Amino acid sequence: MSENALEIRGLQGWRGSAHVLQDLDLDLASGRLGIVGRNGMGKTTLCESITGVLSGRGRVDGSISVFGRQIAQLPAYRRSRLGVAYVPQGRRLFSSLNVEETLRVAERRGPWTQARVFSLFPRLAERKKTKGTSLSGGEQQMLAIGRALLTQPKLLVMDEPSEGLAPIVVEQVVGACQTLADEGMNLLVVEQNLAAATAIADNLVVIANGRVVAKLTSAQLRDDPVLQRRYLGIGVDDAEHLELGSAQSHPR
């Protein structure tokens, strides 16, 4: 049995009656992998299929294994206990909890502690008595990442971590992702910001119409305008999206 951090075979995913993921295969042996593609191609559905969040909104068929353990039929909470954590698009923080309380609710025994999260994101320590939803967008993203880390993950799935953030904050989030990867965290990162995606991950997978259509190095996609137009629809007028920290957001 494979001991890859993540191995997906023949994944089919539905949101309601919409057949979004179609016979998708994906591998992450270890380290970090970026997922890119145009809007509406199935990237968020992929994240929710891996983490179990899609159940209740749709259904999934096919094989999903993490570290050799088949999880496709497990509920989200059991996947979390096996080391799969999710930083969702839009953060989804509890409006009634402050920073400290949000972290405390998520915390399990293990190497990640509140003190370690505050070391990674010092700004959260300064704001620990502030309600999560009253934080700036960048601080909310830091809190969402910290919350996920306190579940003691082995695989961290992140959906659009740079979305809607100011350029300097994007750089901070990218830096945190690089630090996590350097410390041995396995990362699967969906990004619309191409510069952020290429800064976080050395290898990229392009998804279109619910399928993997290309596997590229970050340098290949970053440096080739033809590939950018083919897979992402990026043209001359979209050059700002290639700048690290572009605050542009893309509704799905």
Side-chain angles (χ1 to χ4, degrees), residues 141 160-166 170 173-174 191-193 196 246-248:
Q141 188 63 61
E160 303 281 11
S162 78
E163 183 182 45
L165 304 184
V170 173
V173 170
V174 167
E191 260 298 349
Q192 281 281 8
N193 184 325
S246 169
Q248 299 290 329

Side-chain angles (χ1 to χ4, degrees), residues 210-221:
R211 297 182 175 91
V212 172
V213 296
K215 299 177 182 179
L216 306 163
T217 67
S218 291
Q220 283 177 302
L221 191 56

